[in-house]
């Protein structure tokens, strides 16, 4: 699967500081629990990529089985993205 290739744009890397995809980074500045299903948080990020940098907040929700994450903008101005764990 393309998600296993370190150079693939489909590959996302999550760690304690944030998210990386391709040449872009999203560094977590603040994480806040919010009302909603268990596993839902709002994260204020400092984004960079393509020679630009900006800040914004997104709501991240992890499915009960831990296999899917939904990311949406905090104001719902962007349609949600559904990310699925890469199994190979």
């Amino acid at each position: 699967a393309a998600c296993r290739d370190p150079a693939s744009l489909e590959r996302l890397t999550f760690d304690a500081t944030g998210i990386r995809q391709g040449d872009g980074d999203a560094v977590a500045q603040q994480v806040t629990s919010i009302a909603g299903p268990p596993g839902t948080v709002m994260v204020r990020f400092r984004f960079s990529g393509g020679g630009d940098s900006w800040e914004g907040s997104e709501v991240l929700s992890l499915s009960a089985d831990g296999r899917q994450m939904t990311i949406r903008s905090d104001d719902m101005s962007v349609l949600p993205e559904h990310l699925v764990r890469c199994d190979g």
Side-chain angles (χ1 to χ4, degrees), residues 9-79:
L9 291 178
E10 291 182 33
R11 182 181 176 90
L12 288 174
T13 304
F14 290 81
D15 64 23
T17 62
I19 303 170
R20 274 170 290 296
Q21 179 179 20
D23 73 342
D25 287 321
V27 177
Q29 302 295 300
Q30 180 179 13
V31 178
T32 307
S33 294
I34 61 172
T40 300
V41 294
M42 181 178 295
V43 183
R44 185 170 52 85
F45 287 107
R46 185 177 63 241
F47 298 99
S48 63
D52 291 324
S53 62
W54 63 100
E55 290 192 8
S57 295
E58 295 187 343
V59 175
L60 284 64
S61 300
L62 188 62
S63 65
D65 64 4
R67 300 200 50 78
Q68 180 173 314
M69 178 179 288
T70 300
I71 301 176
R72 65 176 172 81
S73 59
D74 63 338
D75 63 1
M76 294 298 288
S77 63
V78 179
L79 291 176

